[in-house]
Amino acid sequence: MTTPRISRHRLRRSLLSMAAAGAALTLATPAGAADVDTGLPPGQAPAAARAATSTESAAGWAAGTRSYLVITAPGDTSAARGAVTANGGSVFAHYDAIGVVVAHSSSAGFATAMRSATGVQKVGATRTSDVPADAYSPTVPGAPAQSSTTLTETARWDMTRINADKAWAVSTGSPSVTVGVLDTGVDDRHQDIAPNFDAADSASCAYGKADTRTGAWRDVGTHGTHVAGTIAAAKNGKGVVGVAPGVKIASVRIAEPNTSMFFAENTICGFMWAGDHGFDVTNNSYYTDPWMFNCPDDPDQAAIIEGVRRAQEYAEGKGSLQVAAAGNSNYDLANKRTDTSSPNDSTPVNRTITNACVDIPTELPGVVTVAAMGNGNIKASYSNFGRDVIDVAAPGGDGAYGVYSTLPGGKYGNMNGTSMASPHVAGVAALLKSADPAATPADLRARLGSQATDTACPSDGRCTGTTARNAFFGEGQVDALKAVGGTTPQPGRYFENATDVAVADNATVESAISVTGVPGNAPAALKVGVDVKHTYRGDLVLSLVAPDGSVYPLEDFADSDSADDVVKTYTVDASSETASGTWKLRVRDIATQDTGRIDTWNLTF
């Protein structure tokens, strides 16, 4: 199967840095988008989060229609709704519990008129572009055809970095814990996601109003499915394993189709849904479009800040911890000076800003802000940072090391970004909640930091602070094993061969490691770390050869697997073999055109 290449920027955009359109923080860098369809019994959102539909919904779309947040006192928005209608607008949705009305109007003077209405505290346009016609009759994403996989679960670098592979021996998490994926949607039929998917609590919040039709929550890109797999892909012997493979995943699609943008009303709807549906944790790998930073001295952006803040506070009050990606612009969030990418739904302008301007939701009070790391104690090159802004860090991928996870249609692929780091933390938070069901969001937030592995600053003047807390890594890299109450076992004896061995077409080569000083037999869980550079790994067959000549197959890659390189750790039951002696990594190339090399490999006893 073809492994999609992903780009490192925007969806954390809001999600992105992943995908191309929208504000996904992706902070990741996903590249292709595949739409998906669903399965959920249609339901009704609880009263506190219910968006008005009936007569208060706009009758139809007209060119020039914009969306606004009208902020009033929490509890009863009827007066504000009346003012909306009186001033040439229509009520698209309302959230009385937090005093937020989502209004539509094509009148250029609507916001000005509403700001003088009795009881109205703030009014702001949520976008600088028109509301899509699709908002009034949303299309349900189609369900992609599913592909089976021959991939088996192997230890991935990102999971070993946070000790998730060791945590699974203690706990995989509780099915009573639910993590909400607020993103581009999730492919609920994926073989690694279906076992843990909670359709009853999934919906779409695109445009700012909950849509509970079956399939409305499905992916309109690839980003959300990738995030979901990192959190809770099932431990079922195939594909990949998530950080917390025993917990439940619910999808709240907040990205709009075609653009994959995450506007404020969508985020508000998502947080309200999370609170009313009892989500223990939400993952937010995006920023709220169209402004990378919202500034309180701008009346539109002030309303966005207040509306999303209230919704996050509501969700937290209902027991939900929000985890969010820090962003992929290599930007110092503690020293804001300029913003050149906003608004991203029309024509960006160069703005001078200050630290009063915030990236939301990641910089809202109570939200866990996550920076990305590469493979090692290193900051990912693209990751945003900031003293007293970053809370914790986690693997996000960088360079040759991407985060490998699920993609729509039963597929898998690599992505890089803070969008990929955040779900690692959400998974660890879910393990914490599983271990202590009574833990509050504040408890989880504190434990994520206190259990994190302190990570010192590199030789980089931008990284200020101490080893215990600094601008690049916050309180350090999260630890899944500590979250489940486990302890790190003493490391085994480690042997490595870093001498390159060329792999030619239609050839078999071997690289040897001489093991000495290890008494008795090899372990039942011998770790075989492999780093093979190759331009088409579908050509490869990998085996481990024991000192007595016994051959242990590691992997025969599917002929159609066109991805580059093999960077994996395999576990081999070699307990019948004498440990000391010469072990070999055997690599066969079974086709023409593509070649490579054994870059390095290792054994851990």
Side-chain angles (χ1 to χ4, degrees):
M1 111 187 42
T2 298
T3 301
R5 305 292 203 271
I6 300 177
S7 63
R8 198 194 307 132
H9 297 110
R10 243 195 130 212
L11 247 166
R12 198 239 35 146
R13 222 181 350 164
S14 269
L15 264 167
L16 249 254
S17 204
M18 163 202 194
L25 282 176
T26 279
L27 292 171
T29 91
D35 291 345
V36 195
D37 167 274
T38 33
L40 233 210
Q44 176 66 54
R50 186 179 303 133
T53 52
S54 65
T55 58
E56 292 174 325
S57 293
W61 179 85
T65 298
R66 296 293 170 87
S67 181
Y68 300 85
L69 296 182
V70 178
I71 311 294
T72 187
D76 183 3
T77 63
S78 58
R81 283 181 275 141
V84 167
T85 303
N87 286 284
S90 60
V91 174
F92 186 75
H94 62 94
Y95 301 96
D96 287 6
I98 60 171
V100 172
V101 176
V102 179
H104 289 177
S105 179
S106 57
S107 170
F110 177 76
T112 300
M114 283 299 300
R115 286 173 187 139
S116 62
T118 301
V120 171
Q121 299 170 356
K122 296 179 188 293
V123 177
T126 64
R127 53 185 86 200
T128 63
S129 56
D130 289 358
V131 174
D134 185 66
Y136 300 111
S137 183
T139 302
V140 174
Q146 299 294 314
S147 301
S148 60
T149 184
T150 58
L151 295 171
T152 57
E153 297 167 349
T154 56
R156 308 194 317 274
W157 73 270
D158 56 315
M159 295 298 166
T160 60
R161 289 296 308 173
I162 63 170
N163 290 319
D165 54 338
K166 299 180 181 68
W168 301 328
V170 180
S171 172
T172 57
S174 168
S176 65
V177 170
T178 299
V179 180
V181 178
L182 277 58
D183 213 295
T184 61
V186 173
D187 179 5
D188 54 300
R189 296 180 179 179
H190 192 290
Q191 58 211 345
D192 251 338
I193 291 175
N196 292 334
F197 192 77
D198 177 5
D201 290 311
S202 295
S204 168
C205 271
Y207 310 116
K209 180 164 58 181
D211 179 353
T212 59
R213 292 176 298 167
T214 295
W217 61 75
R218 290 196 178 130
D219 212 330
V220 295
T222 58
H223 192 264
T225 300
H226 193 277
V227 164
T230 297
I231 296 169
K235 199 171 190 301
N236 55 8
K238 55 189 174 185
V240 298
V241 186
V243 176
V247 307
K248 292 296 184 184
I249 284 289
S251 171
V252 183
R253 177 169 64 87
I254 60 173
E256 297 180 5
N258 303 317
T259 64
S260 286
M261 285 192 165
F262 301 67
F263 292 101
E265 59 267 39
N266 310 0
T267 303
I268 289 168
C269 173
F271 285 157
M272 297 301 290
W273 182 274
D276 284 331
H277 287 256
F279 293 177
D280 300 285
V281 181
T282 70
N283 186 81
N284 302 270
S285 290
Y286 61 93
Y287 70 73
T288 301
D289 295 299
W291 307 99
M292 179 176 284
F293 300 106
N294 286 270
C295 300
D297 60 352
D298 178 284
D300 291 326
Q301 295 164 43
I304 291 173
I305 295 170
E306 181 64 11
V308 179
R309 183 197 66 76
R310 289 188 186 186
Q312 191 291 126
E313 189 176 73
Y314 178 86
E316 183 171 344
K318 293 285 189 175
S320 178
L321 174 70
Q322 276 55 255
V323 178
N328 298 336
S329 301
N330 194 23
Y331 194 102
D332 186 351
L333 297 174
N335 291 284
K336 301 185 183 82
R337 297 292 182 267
T338 60
D339 175 14
T340 61
S341 62
S342 306
N344 61 19
D345 66 334
S346 56
T347 303
V349 297
N350 292 331
R351 299 192 294 162
T352 298
I353 62 173
T354 69
N355 284 346
C357 303
V358 290
D359 179 342
I360 59 176
T362 196
E363 287 193 274
L364 291 176
V367 175
V368 177
T369 304
V370 182
M373 302 178 72
N375 187 12
N377 292 327
I378 55 174
K379 170 188 171 298
S381 59
Y382 52 81
S383 181
N384 286 356
F385 57 98
R387 178 81 176 272
D388 298 325
V389 177
I390 301 301
D391 292 308
V392 291
D398 203 10
Y401 294 92
V403 172
Y404 195 71
S405 186
T406 49
L407 294 174
K411 300 176 183 178
Y412 301 84
N414 286 297
M415 291 188 185
N416 300 280
T418 55
S419 282
M420 284 56 259
S422 183
H424 286 87
V425 177
V428 174
L431 292 176
L432 284 167
K433 183 69 174 181
S434 299
D436 181 6
T440 66
D443 294 333
L444 299 178
R445 202 160 46 237
R447 291 173 194 172
L448 284 169
S450 65
Q451 294 180 358
T453 302
D454 291 345
T455 306
C457 283
S459 299
D460 188 325
R462 301 173 301 167
C463 187
T464 59
T466 65
T467 298
R469 187 176 184 92
N470 58 58
F472 278 11
F473 312 112
E475 293 189 76
Q477 184 167 249
V478 293
D479 192 312
L481 184 59
K482 290 179 182 176
V484 297
T487 57
T488 304
Q490 292 298 310
R493 292 290 303 278
Y494 178 87
F495 300 85
E496 181 181 53
N497 186 339
T499 301
D500 289 356
V501 177
V503 179
D505 283 334
N506 289 302
T508 299
V509 299
E510 294 179 341
S511 176
I513 289 177
S514 179
V515 174
T516 59
V518 180
N521 285 7
L526 176 65
K527 301 297 184 183
V528 185
V530 174
D531 188 345
V532 175
K533 307 302 184 188
H534 198 278
T535 51
Y536 193 100
R537 69 184 181 198
D539 294 353
L540 300 180
V541 179
L542 274 59
S543 305
L544 176 69
V545 182
D548 68 355
S550 299
V551 177
Y552 293 84
L554 298 177
E555 188 160 7
D556 182 352
F557 289 91
D559 293 349
S560 60
D561 188 343
S562 62
D564 296 343
D565 308 334
V566 182
V567 183
K568 288 187 176 183
T569 299
Y570 298 92
T571 301
V572 174
D573 182 356
S575 56
S576 63
E577 304 290 342
T578 300
S580 292
T582 300
W583 296 75
K584 298 175 182 178
L585 174 66
R586 178 177 293 169
V587 177
R588 292 177 54 211
D589 183 305
I590 61 172
T592 58
Q593 297 185 1
D594 292 88
T595 60
R597 70 180 187 277
I598 301 175
D599 190 63
T600 184
W601 74 288
N602 58 72
L603 294 170
T604 303
F605 288 81

